[in-house]
Amino acid sequence: MRIYTKAGDDGSTGLFLGSRVPKSDVLVDAYGDVDEAVAVMGVARSLCEDQRLSSALLELQRELFVAAADLATNPAHRDRLKPGVSCVTEEMVERVEGLIDTLVTERPLRPVFIVPGATPSSAAIDHARTVVRRAERNVVRAHEAGHAVSPLVLRYLNRLSDLLFVVARHAAGDAEEPASHD
């Protein structure tokens, strides 16, 4: 099996279930950002000493593959997507919300802005959070540009960035620094 196809040498890329778009398309930016978030979350997971948080990050990485497939699908064939496998579901959004609620109950958020970087894992998780926020912005841009974008993908990414903020606070523990000295 060859990794290269040469099909993208013209500056286009294939969508899931057929069709091609320019690599410069904002939709490609959106699912490229999701791909980047998966990679950064892998760095975070490799640094995470808390097994529960590490397991949660792995599950979220897997779910981001679902979000990427949802975004990268030929709109003419969205009916062929499988819930939770190639398209984001309401249950995925609700699971993220439930995890946010659980983690915030366990460790209430401080009412201050936090400077990321207290620990290597929390810094990487905060980095992933910012990449997910960028993905979210590009999903909005793709929708505004006329792409068929599932509103559940947008909701999932929005909740995921909130969850990553909370997970980063757990990973940092008591080592966090507030943004101001007051």
Side-chain angles (χ1 to χ4, degrees), residues 22-127:
K23 290 181 179 180
S24 61
D25 193 290
V26 68
L27 182 66
V28 178
D29 286 339
Y31 66 75
D33 289 339
V34 170
D35 185 37
E36 183 180 348
V38 172
V40 175
M41 287 170 68
V43 172
R45 189 168 51 85
S46 75
L47 298 169
C48 191
E49 295 178 8
D50 182 318
Q51 185 55 46
R52 183 177 72 146
L53 295 181
S54 179
S55 295
L57 289 169
L58 177 59
E59 183 61 29
L60 294 168
Q61 286 177 284
R62 290 177 172 145
E63 287 185 351
L64 279 175
F65 281 111
V66 175
D70 198 321
L71 288 168
T73 295
N74 178 342
H77 298 297
R78 288 194 58 78
D79 60 320
R80 294 172 49 191
L81 297 180
K82 295 182 179 11
V85 175
S86 50
C87 69
V88 174
T89 64
E90 183 69 38
E91 292 76 23
M92 290 169 62
V93 175
E94 289 171 358
R95 191 183 80 72
V96 169
E97 290 172 347
L99 191 49
I100 292 169
D101 295 341
T102 298
L103 292 174
V104 169
T105 298
E106 291 175 8
R107 185 178 188 84
L109 299 175
R110 296 168 57 191
V112 296
F113 286 105
I114 300 296
V115 178
T119 66
S121 63
S122 70
I125 295 165
D126 273 317
H127 184 185

